[in-house]
Amino acid sequence: MTAEHVNPLRDPTDRRLPRIAGPCSLILFGVTGDLAKKKLIPAVYDLANRGLLPPGFALVGFARADFKDGTFAQMIKKAAKEGARTPWSETVWKQLAAGIRFVPGEFDDDDAWDRLADTMKELDDQQGTGGNHAFYLSIPPSLFPVVVSQIKKHGLAESSKGWRRVVIEKPFGHDLASAVELNRMVGDVFSRESVFRIDHYLGKETVQNILAFRFANGMFEPIWNNHYVDHVQITMAEDIGIGSRAGYYDSIGAARDVIQNHLLQLMALIAMEEPVSFNASSLRLEKQKILANARPPARMDLHTAQAQYVAGWAGGEKVRGYLEEEGVHEGSRAETYAAIRVDVSTRRWAGVPFYLRTGKRLGRRVTEVAVVFKRAPHQPFNKNDVEELGQNALVMRIQPDEGVTLRFGAKVPGTTMEIRDVNMDFAYGGAFVESSPEAYERLILDVLLGDPPLFPQHEEVELSWKILDPVIAHWKQDKEIDTYPAGTWGPPSADAMMARDGRTWRRP
Ligand code: BG6
């Protein structure tokens, strides 16, 4: 067994079993969309290439598009070839292609759903999918109600023969009330165990490693608390703009796009107590306790920042501002940068602020969690000698350059006792020969296996909205939105927010 098959979140007694999905089909709504082409289809191919899909696997596309004979499979092939992580194999492709089907139609067209039901039956007979079908909703949230109700109306959510699952891509609502409504609607059709909410950050190796790092080692946990930790900074920075995604992004903004899900999940993993086991319910329980105890800042005017990028530079090229991007509404107030302080009121974390920030068109692409430690209580050195000594920090590099860095002070060689910060580094690339699977490979496989630990339950989703809703409501009152030039590290208000607490953002 190679290390890439090892799932640190599975029961250790399962470790020797290869994780291969049984016969089933994946029915993809939104198959012509960006996510499907760039991530989902390549991930399916990579899984097939790694031998983790059964011969009887089927991929069904359901969309309005009118593909002539064979052109759907060609589109899938092109997307798989362009996005695959593993080498191309015609043999693997041929096997996959045998199970590819396309059903044309509008989501509200009952005849099209009848055709889908027929296709599923045919696949059960011809491909041996055994009644096992996962519906993957990679579509705008406005289409969830029609698709979910059609699944119910056509009796596709249940089967006496096999399992039925539904996969929902974020955003899970746009505030607490809409998330509750979405959960109610989905829960009306699918049982709790059959709903898989995708937060693709949880599928990343480096994110799963947070739990391995914390709970497999003896030396970090004793200092993982407010006696030693000064604060935590969670950064998800992107150098790209919004590209062709204005339709989605402009009504959402940075906080709803990634803080509500990816960054609050990272925070929960960093802050949670040791779970009883790594099964889904134990993990969720611990994450929920953190989210339930997490509060937005009391003074949102002082401890949050939001801004929009204006024209600037990216990769040596001049780039336009957000308001000039194609499809953005005139005078849009959508924030492309968001930073908030979150306080977690537990015995372990009281008094330790968690600072979460994200932005498009920042200096570079980097996601990291920095646990910044308090200074030593006493420094027996001359003031000048420790001028260049910062606070100790443990930085988990989620991406790129995946790894962990420990920053501490060391003596500069020479005749004086000058002390300066140095880094001790673990890099995935240097320590392991296996390359990490893409998050979507892992998550799609887990859906097909019915393995739930990496999927947030609705309680986590709702608790996360409870943290964010008041911040967004507060931002709505602002008459103007702050700005930052593309290629910089965000607006001055974000620096001011840290300065008020006597701290600075790390420059990743
Ligand atoms: C998505 C957001 O969830 O994550 C995007 O909707 C963002 O706006 C993307 O670009 C980033 O993902 P990754 O895996 O490249 O960090």
Side-chain angles (χ1 to χ4, degrees):
M1 184 175 64
T2 63
E4 68 185 348
H5 292 117
V6 174
N7 170 359
L9 297 183
R10 282 175 69 83
D11 181 331
T13 54
D14 281 354
R15 284 184 168 217
R16 284 166 202 286
L17 301 174
R19 305 181 71 233
I20 300 174
C24 62
S25 82
L26 188 67
I27 298 152
L28 202 47
F29 298 86
V31 67
T32 51
D34 236 33
L35 181 73
K37 284 188 186 155
K38 290 195 179 134
K39 299 282 181 189
L40 308 182
I41 295 167
V44 166
Y45 169 80
D46 285 325
L47 285 173
N49 204 11
R50 290 165 64 203
L52 301 179
L53 295 184
F57 175 78
L59 178 71
V60 183
F62 184 171
R64 195 188 307 153
D66 184 19
F67 288 104
K68 300 274 173 289
D69 274 356
T71 52
F72 179 69
Q74 275 166 29
M75 186 275 278
I76 301 282
K77 184 174 186 180
K78 185 165 178 282
K81 245 181 159 168
E82 282 173 7
R85 179 179 66 86
T86 58
W88 186 254
S89 153
E90 278 299 324
T91 317
V92 170
W93 166 249
K94 276 198 188 117
Q95 190 170 40
L96 203 54
I100 290 181
R101 303 283 186 280
F102 180 68
V103 178
E106 303 281 346
F107 293 154
D108 59 359
D109 174 2
D110 285 329
D111 294 341
W113 282 87
D114 287 340
R115 289 198 295 276
L116 176 64
D118 291 345
T119 305
M120 287 164 62
K121 273 202 205 95
E122 178 202 307
L123 286 169
D124 286 344
D125 297 341
Q126 290 177 6
Q127 287 284 107
T129 44
N132 301 320
H133 301 280
F135 300 97
Y136 198 125
L137 274 51
S138 173
I139 49 177
S142 57
L143 297 173
F144 287 178
V146 59
V147 171
V148 172
S149 64
Q150 287 284 38
I151 290 175
K152 182 177 182 181
K153 182 170 168 191
H154 291 264
L156 301 178
E158 282 163 14
S159 157
S160 51
K161 282 203 289 172
W163 50 255
R164 299 291 156 100
R165 295 178 188 138
V166 67
V167 185
I168 308 176
E169 271 288 342
K170 65 170 241 301
F172 313 117
H174 58 270
D175 57 11
L176 176 60
S178 56
V180 170
E181 173 52 24
L182 173 66
N183 286 327
R184 192 204 53 73
M185 184 181 72
V186 176
D188 192 34
V189 180
F190 288 94
S191 66
R192 189 178 163 90
E193 310 74 59
S194 311
V195 182
F196 290 75
R197 291 171 191 78
I198 298 255
D199 181 321
H200 80 278
Y201 262 62
L202 298 183
K204 291 181 191 274
E205 283 290 331
T206 43
V207 173
Q208 293 161 43
N209 186 47
I210 293 174
L211 296 185
F213 183 88
R214 289 191 54 201
F215 300 122
N217 299 304
M219 62 200 262
F220 303 113
E221 215 44 30
I223 55 169
W224 213 254
N225 56 49
N226 48 12
H227 297 297
Y228 297 96
V229 176
D230 178 67
H231 70 281
V232 178
Q233 295 190 21
I234 302 181
T235 301
M236 176 184 167
E238 294 184 282
D239 52 357
I240 52 168
I242 54 144
S244 56
R245 295 174 71 225
Y248 159 78
Y249 199 86
D250 206 33
S251 58
I252 297 242
R256 287 187 173 109
D257 185 35
V258 302
I259 293 186
Q260 189 274 341
N261 36 77
H262 308 328
L263 299 199
L264 284 173
Q265 282 288 329
L266 283 176
M267 185 189 87
L269 292 172
I270 289 290
M272 66 184 241
E273 296 300 317
E274 183 177 292
V276 171
S277 83
F278 284 114
N279 70 26
S281 51
S282 308
L283 266 174
R284 287 167 181 161
L285 189 68
E286 297 306 334
K287 284 196 282 174
Q288 272 171 39
K289 284 191 210 157
I290 293 300
L291 294 170
N293 282 307
R295 305 260 174 286
R299 290 290 307 269
M300 291 180 219
D301 52 337
L302 303 183
H303 297 298
T304 70
Q306 57 151 345
Q308 208 175 61
Y309 63 82
V310 292
W313 296 86
E317 280 180 19
K318 198 144 185 42
V319 292
R320 56 190 167 188
Y322 180 73
L323 291 177
E324 290 89 60
E325 298 277 19
E326 210 167 301
V328 167
H329 293 103
E330 203 184 323
S332 165
R333 294 272 307 276
E335 80 282 359
T336 60
Y337 179 100
I340 64 170
R341 168 179 152 169
V342 179
D343 298 317
V344 179
S345 313
T346 61
R347 174 172 282 247
R348 191 195 275 258
W349 294 115
V352 179
F354 286 74
Y355 298 100
L356 279 46
R357 67 173 160 165
T358 184
K360 302 270 183 202
R361 283 278 187 242
L362 296 182
R364 73 182 184 95
R365 174 176 181 256
V366 56
T367 300
E368 64 163 44
V369 177
V371 178
V372 182
F373 293 92
K374 293 181 175 170
R375 288 181 189 277
H378 171 67
Q379 296 276 11
F381 306 100
N382 290 330
K383 226 172 154 204
N384 303 348
D385 291 341
V386 287
E387 249 169 16
E388 306 239 0
L389 176 65
Q391 284 168 271
N392 298 161
L394 194 130
V395 183
M396 301 188 151
R397 297 192 307 275
I398 307 296
Q399 65 188 28
D401 307 327
E402 291 78 0
V404 181
T405 297
L406 187 62
R407 194 183 67 185
F408 56 95
K411 181 182 175 309
V412 179
T415 50
T416 59
M417 196 39 141
E418 187 188 347
I419 296 171
R420 198 186 291 163
D421 286 332
V422 293
N423 287 334
M424 199 159 78
D425 212 35
F426 149 66
Y428 270 80
F432 300 112
V433 285
E434 302 84 1
S435 68
S436 298
E438 275 283 322
Y440 276 102
E441 283 173 64
R442 173 62 194 271
L443 295 175
I444 290 174
L445 181 63
D446 281 5
V447 168
L448 303 181
L449 287 164
D451 205 6
L454 299 180
F455 301 88
Q457 267 291 3
H458 75 88
E459 287 87 350
E460 289 161 75
V461 171
E462 290 174 13
L463 289 168
S464 301
W465 281 120
K466 273 191 191 159
I467 300 168
L468 208 58
D469 273 2
V471 178
I472 292 174
H474 172 77
W475 287 346
K476 270 209 174 129
Q477 298 162 14
D478 288 351
K479 296 210 171 50
E480 278 180 5
I481 184 159
D482 210 352
T483 59
Y484 59 103
T488 63
W489 279 98
S493 51
D495 294 333
M497 150 189 168
M498 289 299 260
R500 273 182 208 108
D501 287 355
R503 301 186 173 103
T504 52
W505 289 112
R506 275 174 48 80
R507 181 58 49 87

